[in-house]
Amino acid sequence: MNLKVISFDEAVEFVKPGSTVMIGGFLGVGTPEGIIDKIVEKGIGNLTIIANDTAFEDRGVGKLVKNKLCKKVIVSHIGTNPETQRQMIAGELEVELVPQGTLAERIRAGGAGLGGILTPTGVGTVVENGKQVIEIEGKKYLLELPLKADIALIKAKKCDYYGNLVYNFTAENFNPLMAMAAEIVIVEVEEIVPVGALAPNEIRTPGVLVDYVVVSQGVK
């Protein structure tokens, strides 16, 4: 058994005040809710969160925002969370909005060791402000820099005792990308199965990327 299974209390000891944390999920689907609940319980704050969105006030990343544990969020949208909008307007929370595809590619670049990506998305808009514009064959692109994190908190359906991960349909979303782009990867899983129980073609994240696993209590 190579897997390092830890408790929720042990998991959040890696999340220090001021940490940069990637959190998987899409409107709370595929988000490690149990770990987030424990961060809220411990009151670990001043966090920079990289996620697809801030979900809802009572779900996912939204719970961290509602409890004012975030100093900055880097996300693709905040439209489903009025509290995020309120804090941004009040100057209580820094919000960096990134087009969704660009966000995914910046995380991928961070995990792949790339110096950045070139994208036409945002050229000629406010997204361009402060960024380097590169012209290739007559077409303009923005240089978008990679995103990395101290910790990635991700959610999987199953893992085996080598740490290989299987996700539940669209709950896969940002999780595999984030597993590549952080110094420490902690996975909340619903079930641990024996080695060989997972079909090779269903494994989306290899165990070599996983540092620690916690087992959820029926959290989907």
Side-chain angles (χ1 to χ4, degrees):
M1 175 177 171
N2 296 339
L3 199 62
K4 295 179 181 178
V5 181
I6 59 176
S7 68
F8 282 100
D9 285 304
E10 290 172 319
V12 299
E13 287 180 3
F14 292 97
V15 183
K16 308 297 184 183
S19 293
T20 297
V21 184
M22 288 184 177
I23 300 178
F26 190 109
L27 294 178
V29 176
T31 297
E33 297 283 354
I35 299 177
I36 289 177
D37 288 342
K38 186 60 68 170
I39 293 173
V40 171
E41 179 186 316
K42 299 288 187 181
I44 305 167
N46 199 34
L47 302 174
T48 295
I49 301 298
I50 301 170
N52 178 66
D53 51 71
T54 57
F56 308 93
E57 291 186 36
D58 61 348
R59 188 171 184 184
V61 176
K63 290 182 283 190
L64 300 176
V65 173
K66 183 176 181 179
N67 286 277
K68 297 189 176 180
L69 299 177
C70 307
K71 68 175 180 181
K72 179 178 181 178
V73 295
I74 302 172
V75 294
S76 70
H77 73 87
I78 59 173
T80 55
N81 192 326
E83 178 61 17
T84 307
Q85 300 168 42
R86 187 200 67 76
Q87 289 186 26
M88 180 183 70
I89 293 169
E92 300 170 3
L93 174 68
E94 182 181 352
V95 176
E96 180 180 341
L97 291 172
V98 182
Q100 189 175 79
T102 301
L103 178 65
E105 283 296 285
R106 290 180 66 187
I107 295 169
R108 185 186 67 82
L114 302 179
I117 63 160
L118 295 178
T119 175
T121 303
V123 171
T125 74
V126 294
V127 176
E128 182 182 315
N129 294 347
K131 295 176 182 174
Q132 185 176 351
V133 179
I134 297 175
E135 187 169 324
I136 301 175
E137 296 181 347
K139 187 171 183 177
K140 292 182 178 180
Y141 298 87
L142 301 183
L143 173 62
E144 295 279 4
L145 301 180
L147 287 172
K148 298 181 181 180
D150 301 312
I151 304 161
L153 304 176
I154 66 177
K155 176 69 164 54
K157 176 72 172 177
K158 299 178 184 179
C159 76
D160 64 17
Y161 285 104
Y162 283 150
N164 297 308
L165 304 181
V166 170
Y167 301 99
N168 191 25
F169 299 107
T170 58
E172 178 175 336
N173 52 65
F174 276 76
N175 285 297
L177 293 175
M178 291 179 172
M180 296 178 62
E183 294 296 321
I184 299 173
V185 177
I186 302 175
V187 185
E188 183 175 330
V189 301
E190 296 174 32
E191 181 182 7
I192 301 175
V193 299
V195 173
L198 302 178
N201 65 331
E202 66 178 339
I203 294 170
R204 292 293 179 266
T205 298
V208 69
L209 297 175
V210 175
D211 294 298
Y212 302 98
V213 167
V214 294
V215 181
S216 64
Q217 303 299 317
V219 180
K220 301 302 180 182

